[in-house]
Amino acid sequence: MKNNDIGPVTLHQVAHAAGVSPATASRFMNGTARVSDAKRRSIEDAIERLNYKPNLVAQGLKMGSTRTIGVLTQSLVSGYFNDAMVGIEDAVKAAGYALLIMSGHWHALEEAERVELLIGRRVDGVVILTGNMSDTQILDFSQRVPIVAFGRKLEGERVFGFVLDNYGAACEAMELLIEQGHRRIAFIRGSDDQEDAHARLAGYRDTLAKHRIEPDPGLIVAGDFQESGGLQAVNQLLTSGARFSAIFAANDLSAYGARLALYRRSIRVPEDVSIIGFDDLHSSMYTTPPLTTVRQPLYDVGSCIGTMMLGMIGHHEVKVPLPALSLVVRESVRRLT
């Protein structure tokens, strides 16, 4: 039942309906304390039933907070980043926070300018989704605002950066190809300035070494995590006359470009060449054929980031288990006979 017809709902009414103290309800909404799952559900249910609308301006003036979290992404149109941003938003909105999102377009100078702009807007914290800024720059920014960074390892009083197990997942993808009888496996690299690209390349090389398969430097080709890079990489392989039965692309976008290059040469997937990607973008299940790939649970990554950020803003430690990567087997890999 909505209470809009009897005037604005107060925090005390929400607390009473949830069966908690006003102080507990306030701390939950401010993101300054953790509560049990049962109390969290009770408070969220009371907020919805009573249609409670907190006065964010008044709260901000009282707490010196704008109730906003800045997010530096690299692309506003990428499904990769969008999934993570939705996870962040869902994790922080119950505590009354909104996101202010800006893009750095993979340019370190532009990224730094955007973070400066976010800090100038008095955001309560900044999330950095990968990018090319140096660790030193990020640590310097963390002296002014709490920062959670995805795609690099960082740790400090007001900064936390983490990566997923790109190396282990790349090894798992390579194991699948080798189990299916492939030995001549091409690898399309990612951007050289990205830590995850190096980890995936290391997984490719180490798995070949584990199975005593002599690596062929001619099968490792440059890419840039974009469709055009995958297209150019496979064109380079084919022009060089390199022999390969499978391609491991450092991400799904590169795999899409690789698939197009093969199609233009009338090379069938997977009958002639198998392909594995990395990320499991939504469109990967609808490619022809559906792409075998490594799934990055980016919504869960975003949820972890949001929870970590609320903890940092509230000055309390939050330990969040990091999501695991997993191999999704579809139809783009076949067994050699």
Side-chain angles (χ1 to χ4, degrees):
M1 178 179 178
K2 307 297 184 184
N3 283 5
N4 289 352
D5 57 334
I6 58 174
V9 176
T10 67
L11 176 65
H12 284 258
Q13 289 173 304
V14 171
H16 178 74
V20 301
S21 70
T24 297
S26 176
R27 288 195 300 270
F28 169 76
M29 293 181 195
N30 293 336
T32 57
R34 297 188 69 184
V35 300
S36 67
D37 287 343
K39 287 183 178 179
R40 174 183 57 79
R41 287 192 295 267
S42 295
I43 296 170
E44 290 175 348
D45 180 64
I47 290 171
E48 182 177 357
R49 284 189 291 108
L50 299 177
N51 196 28
Y52 175 65
K53 305 294 185 184
N55 187 331
L56 298 181
V57 174
Q59 288 183 0
L61 290 173
K62 181 178 179 181
M63 300 177 59
S65 164
T66 61
R67 314 295 291 178
T68 57
I69 294 171
V71 178
L72 175 69
T73 181
Q74 300 305 321
S75 171
L76 296 175
V77 297
S78 167
Y80 177 93
F81 292 110
N82 286 346
D83 282 354
M85 288 190 285
V86 172
I88 297 169
E89 183 177 45
D90 286 351
V92 303
K93 65 183 179 182
Y97 283 86
L99 303 184
L100 182 57
I101 301 169
M102 296 187 180
S103 177
H105 302 106
W106 297 104
H107 297 297
L109 179 59
E110 187 174 353
E111 291 169 21
E113 291 173 347
R114 293 297 180 266
V115 173
E116 284 283 4
L117 186 56
L118 288 169
I119 294 174
R121 297 290 181 90
R122 297 182 60 203
V123 296
D124 297 329
V126 172
V127 171
I128 298 176
L129 297 176
T130 70
N132 291 323
M133 274 192 299
S134 69
D135 291 352
T136 299
Q137 284 177 293
I138 294 175
L139 289 169
D140 287 343
F141 280 129
S142 73
Q143 301 302 310
R144 301 159 61 189
V145 65
I147 291 179
V148 177
F150 174 58
R152 66 183 74 212
K153 294 179 181 179
L154 286 172
E155 194 162 353
E157 184 177 352
R158 287 159 58 88
V159 62
F160 182 75
F162 68 98
V163 298
L164 302 183
D165 186 12
N166 288 277
Y167 173 82
C171 291
E172 187 177 1
M174 285 294 293
E175 289 286 355
L176 174 66
L177 290 174
I178 293 171
E179 287 170 5
Q180 297 302 308
H182 296 279
R183 295 297 183 269
R184 301 282 300 175
I185 303 170
F187 183 77
I188 302 175
R189 300 175 59 169
S191 301
D192 286 337
D193 50 10
Q194 297 298 309
E195 182 175 337
D196 52 2
H198 293 289
R200 294 169 197 179
L201 176 58
Y204 166 83
R205 284 174 166 160
D206 289 354
T207 308
L208 288 177
K210 172 185 172 182
H211 290 272
R212 293 183 170 82
I213 299 173
E214 188 68 26
D216 181 348
L219 292 181
I220 301 175
V221 285
D224 58 3
F225 282 147
Q226 301 300 320
E227 297 95 327
S228 57
L231 178 70
Q232 293 170 9
V234 172
N235 283 338
Q236 177 184 330
L237 284 168
L238 296 174
T239 300
S240 71
R243 295 184 301 103
F244 56 93
S245 64
I247 298 171
F248 180 16
N251 73 337
D252 283 4
L253 294 182
S254 298
Y256 299 166
R259 175 69 183 89
L260 177 58
L262 295 172
Y263 168 79
R264 287 177 172 173
R265 303 287 187 101
S266 298
I267 299 172
R268 301 168 300 169
V269 176
E271 291 84 357
D272 302 321
V273 173
S274 295
I275 300 181
I276 282 185
F278 203 111
D279 284 340
D280 193 27
L281 301 179
H282 293 301
S283 51
S284 293
M285 68 177 68
Y286 300 109
T287 58
T288 306
L291 184 67
T292 294
T293 183
V294 173
R295 174 174 294 160
Q296 290 209 69
L298 292 166
Y299 176 88
D300 295 336
V301 168
S303 181
C304 288
I305 290 171
T307 302
M308 291 174 184
M309 178 55 73
L310 290 178
M312 295 182 74
I313 292 172
H315 304 289
H316 60 270
E317 184 179 5
V318 177
K319 292 185 177 180
V320 182
L322 299 182
L325 302 176
S326 59
L327 188 62
V328 180
V329 178
R330 295 195 178 103
E331 300 168 38
S332 65
V333 174
R334 80 171 184 96
R335 177 182 292 277
L336 292 184
T337 55

